[in-house]
Amino acid sequence: MDKFKKLPRFKAKKSSDTNGSVVDYQAKLAEHGLTREEVIATERKLAKFANAMDSLIRVPFTKQGMGADAALSTIPLAGDVAGLILTSYAFILGRQLGVPADKMTPAVRLALIDMVVGIVPGIGTLLDIFIRPSRKTLGIVHEHLHQEYGITETMHMDRPFLHQSLEDKQQSRFGAFWRNPIVAWLYLHIPDILGLIVIVFVGWGIWTAISWLVGLFGQSTGFG
């Protein structure tokens, strides 16, 4: 996929870590009627859905969050059933990528637990922060794609919305500019860059405040 030359690509055959045999990832993809690009696009779609359902708003300094699933659980019973129905979309995407049904069982079980627990008013909504069936599905799917198809890159699932936006830009009139590896890397890491800028400004603000307090203390006590 020339749109993402920056992303590492795996050869059709790779050596297995367990028994040294050669695994033909291209053949496995063809067996399921898939291409590498289709797999990445579908997993990105799953990542967007998982973010919307389970971690649209993240709890500060944690990997936990809340999304549409938690919002729906505030509606007694009907909201929890609706959440389960919506979560089934993640299972459908996983099956489209060739993930066996038995591998999906832990995520399905978690979705059922989520529905039952969500019926409890208040507590169910709170527990939704920790019970995240869609993200569980995403983890299972990615592990399967890694093992079966040799796909290890994670940017399309870690930053699905930015990844999609960048791909659209790479197909535009100025695609050559956005396909530049440095430009693409910078665009995908905008959240990190902004976070670093915030940290620098906060650090500068704290240092300025401390310096001012020390100066004020010195002036008032004569130790300055």
Side-chain angles (χ1 to χ4, degrees):
M1 185 164 84
D2 60 353
K3 301 188 293 298
F4 278 90
K5 291 181 179 178
K6 64 186 182 303
L7 295 176
R9 295 187 64 85
F10 283 73
K11 297 179 180 179
K13 295 184 178 182
K14 296 288 288 183
S15 296
S16 170
D17 294 333
T18 55
N19 54 21
S21 62
V22 175
V23 178
D24 191 341
Y25 294 130
Q26 203 64 35
K28 288 194 172 187
L29 284 165
E31 181 181 340
H32 290 91
L34 298 168
T35 65
R36 183 183 181 83
E37 290 75 19
E38 289 172 343
V39 168
I40 289 177
T42 302
E43 187 178 29
R44 183 177 60 207
K45 188 187 301 183
L46 174 57
K48 287 181 181 180
F49 178 76
N51 281 352
M53 287 296 290
D54 294 331
S55 55
L56 193 60
I57 301 174
R58 217 170 249 194
V59 178
F61 308 110
T62 74
K63 293 184 178 181
Q64 303 298 331
M66 295 180 290
D69 191 33
L72 286 170
S73 70
T74 60
I75 305 173
L77 189 57
D80 299 298
V81 173
L84 177 63
I85 294 173
L86 287 173
T87 302
S88 65
Y89 176 67
F91 306 147
I92 293 172
L93 290 178
R95 294 291 290 142
Q96 287 179 359
L97 291 171
V99 181
D102 61 313
K103 279 191 176 183
M104 305 286 284
T105 300
V108 174
R109 187 184 300 119
L110 193 63
L112 293 173
I113 292 174
D114 184 42
M115 184 190 71
V116 174
V117 171
I119 295 175
V120 183
I123 298 177
T125 302
L126 180 63
L127 290 177
D128 263 326
I129 298 176
F130 306 98
I131 304 176
R132 306 187 298 169
S134 294
R135 295 211 67 84
K136 176 69 173 179
T137 303
L138 179 61
I140 292 172
V141 168
H142 186 69
E143 182 180 358
H144 178 81
L145 299 185
H146 182 188
Q147 295 174 349
E148 295 297 313
Y149 307 141
I151 296 176
T152 58
E153 57 262 37
T154 62
M155 191 60 71
H156 61 281
M157 55 180 287
D158 295 337
R159 308 268 169 82
F161 296 99
L162 278 177
H163 192 273
Q164 177 70 67
S165 175
L166 177 59
E167 186 175 275
D168 293 340
K169 291 178 182 297
Q170 290 176 337
Q171 295 175 336
S172 69
R173 179 180 176 183
F174 302 101
F177 171 78
W178 293 104
R179 281 192 291 271
N180 181 286
I182 296 176
V183 173
W185 187 91
L186 288 172
Y187 186 79
L188 288 172
H189 288 81
I190 285 176
D192 301 309
I193 296 171
L194 292 177
L196 181 61
I197 292 174
V198 170
I199 290 173
V200 169
F201 270 99
V202 169
W204 175 79
I206 293 174
W207 175 259
T208 301
I210 292 176
S211 299
W212 179 78
L213 289 172
V214 169
L216 184 63
F217 176 79
Q219 291 177 3
S220 61
T221 60
F223 289 100

